Amino acid sequence: MKYFKRVVIHVLILTAFLLCISTLTVRIQQTAKIANLLAAEDTKEFLRRQQVPAELYETAAKYGEQSEFSKYEYLAAAILTEQTGQGELEEYLKLLKQYYPGKLQDILKIELAVWEDLKYFPVPLCETDDTLATSFENSWKFARNFGGERQHEGTDIMALVNERGRYPIISMTDGTVEKIGWLRLGGYRIGIRSPSGGYYYYAHLYDYAKDFQEGDEVKAGELLGFMGDSGYGEEGTIGQFAVHLHVGIYVDDENGEEMSLNPYWALKWLESQRLYFRER
């Protein structure tokens, strides 16, 4: 009888030990899984790419309406894992919250900066002339060589009517004018800092709607200026390329360093949020 009791005790101890080992193994595997997905350079590149088709944004919003997680948390998880199922995304978010809560907040801050304040496509449609259309493609990281070999850090919205000063440019967000004036690469440009921290950059303007000053408040839909072809030279240089608007989106990363993100997907989503203007 005593021998039997000892055996039972040893079995229980062994079972408890094995359960501890099993639990520890699962936790190590979970931590390894999340660590692999959060490799510094990979994470930054996924976030910079911002590959968010409109349907993915809408799916994240739908998930966020019925869960403890926000649509921006779902969106961040989808960007990093390239998964779209609610269960898979929630599993990833739970791991993030458990093992890397600070990292989750850093990633969430970026998604808020990009998406929270967007309201309107930057080039409104003309009520009286439907030939004043525009087009754009995903030109993120395309090669550019003026001023040295570099990669394109934005999206070019091209004018189908190649006439400077014809297309009005409006602010996509509320915000504050942070930069204004001439840049050698960007020509006449204006940079707006939105309330959630995104920096929205509009370049190659023909002229400005008014005498903007740094610190001025702007509203989403407010006229900023007109599309042009300024840039690639000393102040006043025009004609080096076709009339278009260069749109850039920048955020500060967890180290306070400016990071460019691909605006293409945000602009695709905003195509359904367009205002109209009437030519004089």
Side-chain angles (χ1 to χ4, degrees), residues 121 123 125 131-136 157-160 167 227 274:
F121 192 80
V123 187
L125 295 169
T131 67
L132 287 179
T134 57
S135 65
F136 62 98
I157 302 176
M158 307 304 298
L160 297 190
Y167 291 78
M227 192 185 294
R274 297 186 78 155

Side-chain angles (χ1 to χ4, degrees), residues 218-261:
V218 299
K219 294 295 184 183
E222 182 173 339
L223 182 65
L224 300 177
F226 293 85
M227 192 185 294
D229 57 352
S230 62
Y232 281 25
E234 300 303 315
E235 184 166 359
T237 300
I238 57 175
Q240 300 300 304
F241 39 74
V243 172
H244 71 280
L245 172 70
H246 172 98
V247 175
I249 300 179
Y250 298 82
V251 300
D252 291 337
D253 65 17
E254 65 272 17
N255 299 315
E257 297 177 359
E258 188 175 74
M259 180 172 74
S260 64
L261 290 89

Side-chain angles (χ1 to χ4, degrees), residues 34 38 92-101 103-104:
I34 203 78
L38 285 176
Y92 180 67
L93 288 168
K94 287 173 183 176
L95 289 174
L96 266 180
K97 279 198 168 183
Q98 182 177 0
Y99 295 108
Y100 297 94
K103 190 68 174 179
L104 177 58

Side-chain angles (χ1 to χ4, degrees), residues 26-269:
V26 169
R27 288 188 176 179
I28 290 173
Q29 290 173 340
Q30 289 175 334
T31 305
K33 176 182 179 181
I34 203 78
N36 288 338
L37 289 169
L38 285 176
E41 290 306 313
D42 290 343
T43 299
K44 191 168 186 178
E45 188 54 36
F46 272 123
L47 293 173
R48 290 187 72 215
R49 196 190 312 167
Q50 278 297 298
Q51 191 164 333
V52 184
E55 58 269 20
L56 176 57
Y57 184 82
E58 300 299 338
T59 296
K62 181 183 71 176
Y63 290 163
E65 291 174 356
Q66 55 192 24
S67 168
E68 62 180 293
F69 299 109
S70 73
K71 64 181 176 182
Y72 299 112
E73 288 174 312
Y74 279 112
L75 191 60
I79 290 171
L80 293 175
T81 65
E82 298 185 310
Q83 301 291 320
T84 56
Q86 188 171 1
E88 292 90 344
L89 297 180
E90 287 181 358
E91 178 188 358
Y92 180 67
L93 288 168
K94 287 173 183 176
L95 289 174
L96 266 180
K97 279 198 168 183
Q98 182 177 0
Y99 295 108
Y100 297 94
K103 190 68 174 179
L104 177 58
Q105 289 307 307
D106 290 338
I107 295 170
L108 183 58
K109 182 179 177 182
I110 290 173
E111 294 313 308
L112 282 166
V114 176
W115 294 92
E116 174 69 3
D117 302 320
L118 289 174
K119 292 186 179 177
Y120 302 118
F121 192 80
V123 187
L125 295 169
C126 182
E127 283 186 337
T128 57
D129 188 351
D130 58 12
T131 67
L132 287 179
T134 57
S135 65
F136 62 98
E137 62 177 358
N138 189 1
S139 57
W140 177 250
K141 288 196 169 184
F142 279 19
R144 295 290 188 269
N145 52 36
F146 181 83
E149 294 297 324
R150 56 193 172 84
Q151 294 180 327
H152 193 228
E153 291 190 343
T155 297
D156 291 334
I157 302 176
M158 307 304 298
L160 297 190
V161 176
N162 189 41
E163 183 179 333
R164 63 180 69 101
R166 190 79 183 273
Y167 291 78
I169 304 302
I170 62 174
S171 181
M172 296 186 285
T173 69
D174 292 344
T176 304
V177 176
E178 190 166 297
K179 298 292 182 182
I180 187 77
W182 183 266
L183 282 180
R184 186 165 179 261
L185 290 179
Y188 292 113
R189 64 54 164 109
I190 185 169
I192 309 294
R193 181 72 64 179
S194 77
S196 297
Y199 179 75
Y200 295 84
Y201 171 76
Y202 308 81
H204 307 309
L205 299 180
Y206 171 68
D207 60 6
Y208 299 106
K210 65 180 184 180
D211 183 23
F212 287 105
Q213 301 295 316
E214 292 179 7
D216 285 351
E217 297 295 319
V218 299
K219 294 295 184 183
E222 182 173 339
L223 182 65
L224 300 177
F226 293 85
M227 192 185 294
D229 57 352
S230 62
Y232 281 25
E234 300 303 315
E235 184 166 359
T237 300
I238 57 175
Q240 300 300 304
F241 39 74
V243 172
H244 71 280
L245 172 70
H246 172 98
V247 175
I249 300 179
Y250 298 82
V251 300
D252 291 337
D253 65 17
E254 65 272 17
N255 299 315
E257 297 177 359
E258 188 175 74
M259 180 172 74
S260 64
L261 290 89
N262 187 358
Y264 174 79
W265 302 100
L267 290 169
K268 288 296 290 182
W269 181 72

